[in-house]
Amino acid sequence: DKELKSFNNLRKKKTEDFDKFRIESSKKILDLMNPIITNFLQKESIKILLQKEKIIFADDELDITKEILKLFNKKHKKVKFD
């Protein structure tokens, strides 16, 4: 019973730590991507950006994901997560 409680407490702490890391890492990536996306939209005169998951149908030529990732990878060779 004591071992089980100890294990569950450890599991809960590790899960919380991982969730915190995941949230902070996502925020860091978004913070790094924001200026890249903003510059790309201005350069290409794009007035609106929609999340792919929210679109029912669209031409694949409108998807700028690969271009944004290419720009991101060019600017940020490595991203360090704490």
Side-chain angles (χ1 to χ4, degrees):
D1 190 45
K2 191 175 183 180
E3 283 183 41
L4 180 60
K5 188 174 182 178
S6 176
F7 172 77
N8 284 334
N9 286 338
L10 178 63
R11 185 177 63 142
K12 182 180 177 188
K13 170 133 177 47
K14 294 294 183 183
T15 301
E16 289 170 354
D17 290 347
F18 179 74
D19 287 344
K20 182 180 175 189
F21 172 79
R22 186 178 47 80
I23 291 167
E24 289 173 356
S25 298
S26 294
K27 183 183 178 331
K28 183 171 187 167
I29 291 172
L30 289 173
D31 288 346
L32 293 172
M33 287 196 90
N34 254 343
I36 294 170
I37 293 170
T38 302
N39 289 338
F40 183 85
L41 295 178
Q42 289 173 347
K43 181 181 164 202
E44 299 296 323
S45 300
I46 297 173
K47 304 281 186 212
I48 188 170
L49 180 64
L50 304 171
Q51 281 186 319
K52 189 187 287 189
E53 295 81 21
K54 308 288 186 210
I55 298 173
I56 296 171
F57 178 79
D59 190 332
D60 286 342
E61 291 179 21
L62 298 173
D63 188 355
I64 61 171
T65 304
K66 288 180 184 175
E67 294 162 85
I68 297 296
L69 288 176
K70 209 182 291 183
L71 292 170
F72 181 86
N73 289 333
K74 186 176 179 181
K75 185 169 184 176
H76 303 285
K77 301 289 183 197
K78 289 185 179 182
V79 178
K80 184 175 179 182
F81 299 101
D82 300 322

